[in-house]
Amino acid sequence: MGSFSMWHWLIVLVIVLLLFGRGKIPELMGDVAKGIKSFKKGMTDEDASEASNTTTAGKTVDHKADETK
């Protein structure tokens, strides 16, 4: 099999540009960036909800359990 030469990569690049067009590739990268930002925001929101369950004197206090009493 071996490694790809410069001509192989050039042909692959031309095929990708023909299939997706010049404007489609930056649009796809923008969508990927938005997805990553959304994932990070979701992770920080999850961390914030875990932080709302505070630990007091070795006991975990669940705010949802307090609301049901």
Side-chain angles (χ1 to χ4, degrees):
M1 276 255 153
S3 64
F4 292 109
S5 69
M6 184 60 132
W7 286 108
H8 289 103
W9 290 114
L10 189 62
I11 291 171
V12 169
L13 178 65
V14 168
I15 291 172
V16 167
L17 286 175
L18 287 174
L19 288 175
F20 294 109
R22 287 182 51 204
K24 188 69 173 173
I25 294 172
E27 184 179 320
L28 287 172
M29 291 299 110
D31 291 343
V32 169
K34 287 179 186 177
I36 292 171
K37 287 180 185 177
S38 176
F39 177 76
K40 286 183 179 180
K41 183 181 178 197
M43 293 300 289
T44 57
D45 290 346
E46 184 178 302
D47 291 341
S49 68
E50 287 178 5
S52 68
N53 295 336
T54 58
T55 303
T56 308
K59 294 182 180 178
T60 301
V61 178
D62 189 6
H63 295 291
K64 292 179 183 177
D66 292 338
E67 293 173 1
T68 59
K69 291 181 180 179

